[in-house]
Amino acid sequence: MNTLSQPQHGPVKRKIHYVDHAIQKWLLVALVALELLLVGAAVWVLYQQLSAVVEQNLYRIHYSDGQRIFPMLLENSLYVLGGLIAANLAALLVADRIWAHYVNGILRSFKGLMTRTEGLDFLDDGTDITRQHEVIELALAWREAERARCRKIREEIGGLDASQKYADPEVREKAKAALERLRRALP
């Protein structure tokens, strides 16, 4: 009966990282810089439009032809606000695509490692890793430990010889010790 051995020091709690400082820092800097640029441009355009409206109506203060200045100011302000919102939505969509591309690159590398692990392919991992990330480094370290464990199992199995006479107590003790080492090497 093969039972999984539990760690002696208790269950291991996994740390879940929702933040990836490597890319999120630069995305945040880029978004803040873009926001400053957009707000500056929006204020400048609003100033130009409102100046034009005020200039058109500067000498008409005492002339009442029924046309109010407030609807014109509001219309120009709404155009600028709409443009600012559209630019922010476009920036968020671009940031989302950059983030998705980054995460999908990590997942492709991770999936490749896990597919090879599923097929018990523990050959060298150095050539096919496209993205470096903490998750990939942890998976590579785990695969290295599994590679060493499989190598140890292979050596122990190689030491067992089916043609030996197991009736001899000395040979039987060696085989028993080898089988015990195999049992410890298995998960």
Side-chain angles (χ1 to χ4, degrees), residues 29-98:
V29 167
L31 286 175
V32 168
L34 180 66
E35 190 65 32
L36 289 174
L37 183 69
L38 285 174
V39 167
V43 167
W44 183 79
V45 168
L46 185 61
Y47 172 76
Q48 294 299 322
Q49 287 183 346
L50 295 182
S51 288
V53 169
V54 168
E55 193 66 37
Q56 287 175 351
N57 294 293
L58 186 64
Y59 298 109
R60 301 171 109 200
I61 295 291
H62 299 292
Y63 178 71
S64 176
D65 66 349
Q67 183 174 356
R68 302 248 180 229
I69 194 170
F70 178 73
M72 292 188 322
L73 293 174
L74 182 63
E75 180 183 350
N76 287 325
S77 299
L78 289 177
Y79 283 139
V80 171
L81 183 62
L84 190 61
I85 290 171
N88 274 311
L89 287 175
L92 286 174
L93 288 174
V94 168
D96 179 60
R97 292 295 86 212
I98 291 171

Side-chain angles (χ1 to χ4, degrees), residues 156 159-160 164-181 184:
E156 291 297 334
L160 294 174
Q164 289 183 348
K165 304 285 186 203
Y166 287 101
D168 183 13
E170 185 179 320
V171 173
R172 200 172 32 237
E173 284 302 316
K174 282 184 181 180
K176 186 176 177 182
L179 289 173
E180 180 59 30
R181 288 190 300 270
R184 282 189 303 235

